[in-house]
Amino acid sequence: MVDGGAASSELKVLGACPLDCPDGCSWVVTVRDGKAVRLRGNPDHPYTRGALCTKVNRWLERAEQPDRILYPMRRVGAKGEGRFERITWDEALDEIAERLRGVIGEHGGEAVWPYWGTGTLGYLQGCEGFGGRRFFNVLGASAHAVDICSAAGAAGMEAAIGSAGGMDPQDLAHAKLVLLWGTNPLTSGHHVWKFVQDARKAGARLVAIDPVRTRTAQQADEHLAPLPGTDAALALGLLNVIVGLGAQDEDFLRDHTQGWEEFRERIAEFPPERAAEITGVPVADIVALGERIARTRPTAIRATQGIQRHSGGGATLRVLAGIPAVTGDWRLHGGGLAFSTSGHIKLNKAALYRDDLRPGPVRTLSMSRLGEGLLDVQDPPVKALFVIAANPAGSTPHQNKVRRGLAREDLFTVVLEQFPTDTVDYADIVLPATAQHEHADLHEAYGHLHLAWNEPAVAPPGECLPTSETFRRLARRMGIEEPAVYDSDERLAEQLLASGHPWMAGITLDRLRKEGFVRMAVPDPFVPYADGFPTPSGRLEFRSARAAGAGADPLAGYVPPVEVADPERARRYPLALISAASHEFLNTQFANNPELRRRAGEPAVRVHPDDAAARGLADGQRVRVGNDRGSFEAVLRVSDEVRPGVAATAKGHWPRFAGGANANAVVDERATDLGGGPVFHDTRVEITAAG
Ligand SMILES: Nc1nc2c(c(=O)[nH]1)N[C@H]1C(S)=C(S)[C@@H](COP(=O)(O)OP(=O)(O)OC[C@H]3O[C@@H](n4cnc5c(=O)[nH]c(N)nc54)[C@H](O)[C@@H]3O)O[C@H]1N2
Ligand SMILES: Nc1nc2c(c(=O)[nH]1)N[C@H]1C(S)=C(S)[C@@H](COP(=O)(O)OP(=O)(O)OC[C@H]3O[C@@H](n4cnc5c(=O)[nH]c(N)nc54)[C@H](O)[C@@H]3O)O[C@H]1N2
Ligand code: SF4
Ligand SMILES: [Mo]
């Protein structure tokens, strides 16, 4: 890559992928003459191991796409129309400050909703807190729950083991049996695959549990295809087999769990025949897998977000976390359940957020229920909406309701964005945002235990600004006196790192800057629950007072998926729709990249040959996928990769490139049993020929 005398001006800058993906990759940007010319996975990072992914390999190309938003803009057309005029930053900030003062004066601070999404997971620019949160706290704005992704599962894990954490996915390498349960890592976070392969090389067996024979399931030794949302019943059936063999670890259960006797009774209610009836998995498969788990130590379960996008998503993780307690795998290196490592991250988030700056208590609005928040919530109604690193017109449940909310004439909407999304179409003011290699940020990962610093590699294009800087400028315009809202990115990072926790020992901003990433100083080997759990009782809680307090069954068990398990709804809408991660997009990001769009093809929905035949539909035909909330168009793919009764599509297509709607047109905005999460994969539809 050395060209002429330019080599001397070539620079390698360490950074991190900001996307909502467990892998939290470390990357290296090559900068020549102030321009980013290359971006590669960091070969020194033990999880990244030099590779990025299909999507992020096009990061630099995407950042330079002609549709990049480079200047502030003001709406000139109707809401939703997407017509704008360029304005200056001064004009934009003046107008926002004036409108905000008006809204707060008339309706109070809670009429302001900072709706930040998962476009970047960075602590400074993204949803985990970012500098701008202090600005909204000073205003007394409504709080915002980023509950759209893993809230149900995290709440289920919290109830059972006191943390969303679980085992370190890197330790899957030490398992003898690996269950990939409602997770499709070869698409949604492929770096864990190397550790799974290491385990297989040492003789481990791999089982995939997924209603769809995914890329990942195709590589497994065995595949079970339950009906969506029925995994807790499957788990109880497996436990029934395990306990029937007397294979439970009585010592671990006695010393480290609470409510075992009651949970054991519940297990007895799920003989394999009953589990088979609920899940659609053959009895013989349940018995065989139960026996295999009973005799294989250590067994490791990897579950991520797909498994908990159902009404019973919280309950599902409570039961799954119970399996390694019954088998005693929680005490073994290479055993347990890996859900999200975020539960192990010991940053000082309170010092970053500064929620103490709020003038008083404020209500919390839900990211998953934007339609409800804009149309139903009163006292006060939301009058000013800031959309930050989110694309709710494409990502959020009940798309038609979301659009009705965004179209409200009396709502003042500011969108901070890189690209002209369907959400931008509803903005009054659009502010141009930097991309990761143009700004600084600090990252954790939710698939491994390393922290990373992302050093800006190049100057921002046009008039793009980092989110943190945008809110410092807006604060100045509003005349806010609180000094904490003006802290620099570096200062914020230092405050965040200073938690004093032993696992953070020696991790300073200087060191992160120099090394790019640092693994938290956890014990080695890392077997976090060998001697107990961070619950109130210090035990894994089959019976949980906290779950009961949140309105759930005190005892872990099976909570049926509301739509999938409803016979009346099944008569009207016979197919259970799953809209999972697309291979080419990351949520809605990259779905405006021409090459990745070409590779992804038009939106498709896959059904089993029996379900296609029953409707007289053929492969390649255009169809309408709908229910009483709305519909979207797709091309039909007929394939036995999908189990009967299920329709599989992908999230991420921009509505504007997909005939005006995507899968979220049919998804309800109701909440999961725990955590207030969304129910993307608990949706019933019917498929008909497109008119
Ligand atoms: N390429 C790519 N990677 C991504 C993303 C992306 O959009 N594209 N998104 C990122 C984000 S934000 C997240 S949260 C993660 C999500 O990644 P995952 O956790 O893998 O989630 P999903 O893709 O929703 O679903 C995973 C699998 O679960 C299956 N599934 C659905 N319902 C059930 C069920 O009830 N039981 C079982 N056993 N299986 C079920 C689906 O068929 C799917 O194959 O991926 C991240 N990585
Ligand atoms: N049907 C269905 N829908 C789903 C899901 C599903 O499984 N099925 N999964 C859900 C999940 S897991 C998630 S996490 C949500 C994600 O939903 P969202 O949080 O809305 O995420 P994205 O669609 O990726 O949109 C993020 C936007 O942020 C912008 N952005 C990126 N970086 C920056 C930045 O640094 N600054 C600013 N200002 N903007 C930036 C991007 O251009 C992009 O338009 O989607 C959910 N939607
Ligand atoms: S999206 Fe995931 S796999 Fe791809 S580069 Fe980012 S962190 Fe790595
Ligand atoms: Mo997510």
Side-chain angles (χ1 to χ4, degrees):
M1 293 300 291
V2 179
D3 104 340
S8 57
S9 68
E10 193 170 279
L11 208 69
K12 292 212 188 309
V13 183
L14 294 175
C17 175
L19 297 179
D20 186 352
C21 165
D23 295 11
C25 284
S26 169
W27 74 27
V28 187
V29 188
T30 307
V31 180
R32 196 185 299 147
D33 302 327
K35 189 171 156 35
V37 294
R38 216 176 134 184
L39 185 147
R40 288 283 183 275
N42 187 346
D44 300 327
H45 191 286
Y47 208 74
T48 306
R49 297 203 212 170
L52 297 172
C53 65
T54 308
K55 310 154 299 253
V56 177
N57 287 335
R58 297 188 174 272
W59 182 273
L60 293 180
E61 168 191 310
R62 169 168 160 276
E64 288 173 14
Q65 276 177 206
D67 58 343
R68 180 86 190 262
I69 295 172
L70 297 173
Y71 307 100
M73 300 188 293
R74 178 196 288 128
R75 180 168 62 87
V76 291
K79 289 208 175 196
E81 208 182 313
R83 286 203 296 127
F84 296 95
E85 64 180 358
R86 181 175 165 183
I87 54 175
T88 64
W89 267 102
D90 277 336
E91 288 171 307
L93 293 175
D94 281 340
E95 186 164 334
I96 296 169
E98 190 192 314
R99 293 292 297 262
L100 267 184
R101 275 190 217 104
V103 163
I104 294 168
E106 200 177 330
H107 303 277
E110 284 181 309
V112 180
W113 186 355
Y115 187 96
W116 61 82
T118 65
T120 159
L121 296 190
Y123 272 100
L124 307 182
Q125 315 302 343
C127 77
E128 288 287 354
F130 86 108
R133 179 160 173 159
R134 296 180 177 181
F135 168 82
F136 289 107
N137 283 341
V138 169
L139 298 186
S142 286
H144 171 73
V146 184
D147 51 20
I148 205 164
C149 182
S150 48
M157 291 290 284
E158 292 273 351
I161 70 166
S163 160
M167 66 182 286
D168 179 354
Q170 290 187 221
D171 287 333
L172 292 176
H174 303 292
K176 289 291 175 236
L177 173 61
V178 177
L179 310 185
L180 297 178
W181 202 329
T183 182
N184 181 16
L186 285 182
T187 280
S188 56
H190 70 84
H191 293 83
V192 77
W193 192 248
K194 299 188 199 77
F195 300 95
V196 172
Q197 289 298 77
D198 288 346
R200 295 177 96 184
K201 277 181 211 132
R205 187 176 172 88
L206 179 64
V207 180
I209 304 176
D210 195 308
V212 182
R213 199 160 74 240
T214 59
R215 247 171 229 267
T216 306
Q218 286 169 26
Q219 301 290 320
D221 299 304
E222 190 179 325
H223 173 218
L224 272 54
L227 257 184
T230 64
D231 301 273
L234 177 60
L236 288 162
L238 296 170
L239 286 167
N240 188 287
V241 176
I242 294 165
V243 173
L245 293 168
Q248 67 273 24
D249 184 333
E250 293 287 0
D251 292 344
F252 191 85
L253 287 165
R254 184 194 58 236
D255 295 343
H256 298 306
T257 71
Q258 164 176 294
W260 165 237
E261 284 313 319
E262 281 169 279
F263 188 59
R264 191 185 175 135
E265 283 167 28
R266 184 150 278 177
I267 290 171
E269 295 165 14
F270 285 83
E273 294 71 22
R274 179 168 178 222
E277 197 183 310
I278 294 171
T279 62
V281 175
V283 175
D285 291 0
I286 297 175
V287 172
L289 183 57
E291 290 174 355
R292 193 178 290 284
I293 297 172
R295 64 171 184 263
T296 315
R297 304 277 74 72
T299 288
I301 301 171
R302 172 63 166 160
T304 50
Q305 288 73 33
I307 197 175
Q308 46 95 67
R309 307 203 194 289
H310 301 88
S311 311
T316 303
L317 267 298
R318 288 178 74 190
V319 174
L320 257 61
I323 296 177
V326 174
T327 56
D329 279 303
W330 280 125
R331 66 160 103 232
L332 304 176
H333 187 216
L337 163 66
F339 178 67
S340 160
T341 51
S342 54
H344 298 304
I345 307 297
K346 303 300 178 194
L347 293 166
N348 192 352
K349 297 183 197 180
L352 175 71
Y353 297 169
R354 294 295 311 274
D355 290 344
D356 58 296
L357 295 174
R358 288 178 181 143
V362 296
R363 68 181 176 195
T364 300
L365 299 172
S366 158
M367 180 174 179
S368 305
R369 281 164 286 284
L370 177 59
E372 177 187 281
L374 293 181
L375 294 175
D376 305 338
V377 166
Q378 297 298 327
D379 296 326
V382 174
K383 289 287 187 177
L385 177 73
F386 283 75
V387 180
I388 307 154
N391 184 10
S395 291
T396 302
H398 212 332
Q399 200 156 79
N400 294 323
K401 190 169 177 186
V402 166
R403 282 191 190 271
R404 284 201 303 279
L406 290 173
R408 261 178 48 197
E409 277 306 327
D410 64 326
L411 177 72
F412 177 64
T413 301
V414 179
V415 180
L416 283 72
E417 251 299 350
Q418 300 164 341
F419 294 102
T421 62
D422 293 83
T423 305
V424 164
D425 286 351
Y426 292 89
D428 292 284
I429 301 281
V430 183
L431 299 176
T434 42
Q436 184 79 344
H437 59 299
E438 303 154 0
H439 59 222
D441 217 330
L442 194 138
H443 288 260
E444 66 182 51
Y446 59 99
H448 55 76
L449 293 165
H450 300 77
L451 302 175
W453 174 254
N454 177 78
E455 183 74 15
V458 298
E463 295 178 1
C464 294
L465 285 182
T467 301
S468 52
E469 177 60 19
T470 296
F471 285 106
R472 283 188 285 259
R473 293 192 189 187
L474 190 54
R476 223 162 272 132
R477 205 58 59 122
M478 302 274 299
I480 293 176
E481 284 172 14
E482 168 56 51
V485 302
Y486 300 106
D487 281 350
S488 68
D489 290 349
E490 286 75 9
R491 180 92 192 91
L492 293 169
E494 280 161 358
Q495 292 162 8
L496 184 59
L497 290 169
S499 72
H501 192 279
W503 294 359
M504 293 294 294
I507 307 183
T508 60
L509 180 56
D510 282 349
R511 181 166 166 215
L512 274 173
R513 247 188 169 144
K514 205 158 122 261
E515 300 175 22
F517 63 89
V518 179
R519 182 172 161 97
M520 284 196 315
V522 298
D524 181 22
F526 186 52
V527 190
Y529 314 111
D531 301 314
F533 296 86
T535 54
S537 64
R539 295 163 170 264
L540 181 142
E541 300 188 347
F542 294 119
R543 166 174 275 283
S544 160
R546 285 174 310 151
D553 188 337
L555 189 64
Y558 170 54
V559 173
V562 163
E563 279 194 28
V564 173
D566 175 356
E568 163 52 22
R569 200 156 171 93
R571 260 190 297 282
R572 286 155 66 204
Y573 307 111
L575 297 167
L577 183 75
I578 291 175
S579 48
S582 111
H583 198 70
E584 290 80 12
F585 313 146
L586 195 296
N587 293 321
T588 67
Q589 297 197 71
F590 294 96
N592 62 327
N593 175 267
E595 175 56 18
L596 289 171
R597 254 181 79 199
R598 189 190 65 74
R599 286 199 213 171
E602 54 187 325
V605 62
R606 282 180 293 164
V607 296
H608 190 272
D610 294 351
D611 287 321
R615 290 165 181 75
L617 297 173
D619 189 78
Q621 183 174 352
R622 287 210 67 76
V623 293
R624 179 159 290 279
V625 182
N627 60 22
D628 46 357
R629 286 179 286 269
S631 67
F632 65 98
E633 275 198 31
V635 56
L636 189 76
R637 296 284 170 226
V638 180
S639 162
D640 67 0
E641 287 166 3
V642 181
R643 58 154 293 142
V646 168
T649 187
K651 63 173 169 175
H653 289 278
W654 285 22
R656 66 161 42 131
F657 299 141
N662 68 15
N664 284 319
V666 297
V667 175
D668 195 7
E669 60 177 351
R670 75 177 186 283
T672 50
D673 56 341
L674 286 171
V679 292
F680 296 113
H681 307 334
D682 187 0
T683 300
R684 282 205 164 271
V685 295
E686 180 53 303
I687 298 185
T688 52

